[in-house]
Amino acid sequence: MKWLIWVMLAAPVAGLAREWWTRKEKPAPGVLYLHPVWRISCHLISAVFGFMALMAPGNDPKMMVMLGLCMAFIQGAAWASCRYRAWVKDDILTVIPYWGKARSLPLNQITRVTRMGRSGQLVLYQGKKPFCRIPSACVGYESFRAMLEARGLMDL
């Protein structure tokens, strides 16, 4: 079982190495993306779970499996966040979500925008259905929200 945890530890190490080598690359201005600190934190927390699994008292397999699963879920979120992008160009909003295909929507088809609870996440609606969610942790969130408020799309 320990060999599996050692193999799983390659993901946070690879993630930290990726963040180190790409630390000076930034998306174009006006692109919403999650700050690398979020991913680095996830990789570090995942590595801590991995080392805790390796040092489980008595090499308890149940404990190793639970910590390994926690590690896998955290790594899934960290690697998926590398993909997230949103931008507006020529009055067309394009979103590349964590999972799935890129989607585009003209701004005039957004019927309303709401903020979710304490997190401040924006939910953009097309008709009655949600089109996408914009996390408040994104770099450029405030200017994006101000642009939506200026267009009168925000529900207060």
Side-chain angles (χ1 to χ4, degrees):
M1 182 61 86
K2 278 192 173 189
W3 64 271
L4 183 60
I5 300 296
W6 280 108
V7 169
M8 288 176 69
L9 273 170
V13 171
L16 290 169
R18 178 193 179 280
E19 295 299 332
W20 176 259
W21 284 315
T22 62
R23 68 186 182 277
K24 293 184 181 173
E25 294 177 15
K26 293 189 180 183
V31 175
L32 292 158
Y33 63 97
L34 285 172
H35 200 279
V37 170
W38 191 87
R39 288 189 298 274
I40 291 169
S41 301
C42 285
H43 293 312
L44 289 174
I45 291 168
S46 178
V48 167
F49 274 118
F51 286 117
M52 285 172 50
L54 289 173
M55 296 177 193
N59 291 331
D60 184 16
K62 288 181 184 177
M63 179 70 75
M64 292 174 96
V65 167
M66 286 302 295
L67 290 170
L69 286 174
C70 290
M71 188 176 160
F73 286 129
I74 292 170
Q75 280 301 300
W79 284 98
S81 72
C82 294
R83 191 170 184 269
Y84 185 83
R85 299 276 188 273
W87 66 90
V88 175
K89 184 176 181 184
D90 300 329
D91 279 350
I92 295 177
L93 171 68
T94 304
V95 177
I96 300 175
Y98 300 111
W99 292 278
K101 296 179 181 178
R103 298 181 295 216
S104 296
L105 178 71
L107 288 178
N108 61 3
Q109 289 185 14
I110 296 175
T111 54
R112 67 186 174 111
V113 179
T114 59
R115 288 180 67 187
M116 287 184 60
R118 296 168 75 190
S119 69
Q121 183 178 36
L122 297 177
V123 182
L124 283 69
Y125 289 89
Q126 178 184 19
K128 293 183 179 181
K129 296 191 300 187
F131 172 71
C132 71
R133 297 171 193 262
I134 307 290
S136 60
C138 284
V139 173
Y141 170 84
E142 291 299 326
S143 60
F144 184 75
R145 195 181 88 207
M147 183 266 302
L148 293 173
E149 286 174 355
R151 290 177 178 259
L153 294 171
M154 292 289 294
D155 288 347
L156 299 176

